[in-house]
Amino acid sequence: DGGITQSPKYLFRKEGQNVTLSCEQNLNHDAMYWYRQDPGQGLRLIYYSQIVNDFQKGDIAEGYSVSREKKESFPLTVTSAQKNPTAFYLCASSILAPHRAMNTEAFFGQGTRLTVV
Amino acid sequence: GQQVMQIPQYQHVQEGEDFTTYCNSSTTLSNIQWYKQRPGGHPVFLIQLVKSGEVKKQKRLTFQFGEAKKNSSLHITATQTTDVGTYFCAGPPGGGADGLTFGKGTHLIIQP
């Protein structure tokens, strides 16, 4: 059964702690993304990666870090430097678009709801 | 970066009524995508529009891309309770970056 798996579904973090959110895909997609969603808001891009061992900052990368050591995996670490980390985090993947500035269908995981306690 | 504005933010309709959400960009878009997110769920791709003036239909859903490729709309005819959710438009972020820039979404609430 192909798709994107995010874990855990719910995560609680104490202030000052780093936490890592997992994202795995078996769709053989080159591109992977992390988005943050706040209540009543759209999705904002945190980081993206188009190829193994390379990734780029999105619109709100401060306080986050990522790695892309394998094509299938794109974990996101929420560091203590992120001032307001409580949010719904969505991982997505897609095939690479044939042309710059074009997009392809993004497939999303079920999301991880992070709460700082 | 690219900004995509979406209105209305909330829309209450009686079951069976029609629903429309609008998406506007300050710059020309190479393409626009629409996603649906059910309450508590994740966004699911609905459609992509690429051509100026393009109109696509999926059963009761009609999607349009403006002639100037700066706006788009989603129209649902005769809403059903299964249509409940948030509808997002999304376009390229601009500046050669990858990923999608999402509008804030329109929350569709249906009263039986």
Side-chain angles (χ1 to χ4, degrees), chain B residues 14-63:
Chain B
Q14 295 284 339
E15 187 176 7
E17 291 181 339
D18 292 356
F19 159 78
T20 305
T21 173
Y22 301 91
C23 188
N24 292 284
S25 169
S26 57
T27 60
T28 301
L29 301 170
S30 60
N31 72 105
I32 195 159
Q33 297 182 355
W34 286 90
Y35 289 80
K36 177 184 179 180
Q37 185 176 23
R38 293 182 183 273
H42 60 281
V44 174
F45 176 84
L46 293 175
I47 208 158
Q48 181 177 31
L49 305 172
V50 178
K51 299 177 182 177
S52 169
E54 189 170 15
V55 178
K56 287 188 176 180
K57 293 190 176 184
Q58 291 178 350
K59 296 183 181 179
R60 294 178 295 105
L61 278 62
T62 301
F63 303 85

Side-chain angles (χ1 to χ4, degrees), chain A residues 29-41:
Chain A
H29 287 166
D30 288 302
M32 296 188 74
Y33 312 86
W34 275 104
Y35 291 91
R36 170 182 171 140
Q37 186 175 31
D38 293 286
Q41 300 295 313

Side-chain angles (χ1 to χ4, degrees), chain B residues 73-106:
Chain B
S73 66
L74 158 59
H75 180 82
I76 302 178
T77 304
T79 54
Q80 300 174 0
T81 54
T82 54
D83 296 325
V84 165
T86 303
Y87 293 85
F88 293 98
C89 60
D98 197 5
L100 291 164
T101 294
F102 282 80
K104 293 191 175 182
T106 295

Side-chain angles (χ1 to χ4, degrees), chain A residues 9 31 33 35 37 40-45 48-50 59 88 90 94 96 100-111 113, chain B residues 1 9-10 30-31 33 35 37 40-45 48 50 88 90-93 96-105 107:
Chain A
K9 190 172 182 179
Y33 312 86
Y35 291 91
Q37 186 175 31
Q41 300 295 313
L43 284 68
R44 292 182 290 168
L45 184 63
Y48 65 94
S49 169
Q50 295 180 328
D59 298 322
F88 188 45
L90 287 156
S94 68
L96 284 176
R100 224 37 175 150
M102 186 53 68
N103 301 102
T104 57
E105 176 183 352
F107 293 78
F108 284 85
Q110 300 288 330
R113 200 166 297 275
Chain B
Q9 188 175 1
Y10 293 92
S30 60
N31 72 105
Q33 297 182 355
Y35 289 80
Q37 185 176 23
H42 60 281
V44 174
F45 176 84
Q48 181 177 31
V50 178
F88 293 98
D98 197 5
L100 291 164
T101 294
F102 282 80
K104 293 191 175 182
H107 303 262

Side-chain angles (χ1 to χ4, degrees), chain A residues 23-81:
Chain A
C23 179
E24 303 277 332
Q25 55 101 358
N26 60 5
L27 299 168
N28 199 34
H29 287 166
D30 288 302
M32 296 188 74
Y33 312 86
W34 275 104
Y35 291 91
R36 170 182 171 140
Q37 186 175 31
D38 293 286
Q41 300 295 313
L43 284 68
R44 292 182 290 168
L45 184 63
I46 305 172
Y47 268 98
Y48 65 94
S49 169
Q50 295 180 328
I51 194 169
V52 174
N53 292 323
D54 186 54
F55 47 82
Q56 306 296 328
K57 292 182 179 180
D59 298 322
I60 55 166
E62 186 175 350
Y64 300 98
S65 66
V66 293
S67 63
R68 187 87 186 275
E69 297 177 1
K70 299 185 300 181
K71 186 176 183 178
E72 303 79 19
S73 179
F74 191 40
L76 173 74
T77 297
V78 184
T79 75
S80 57

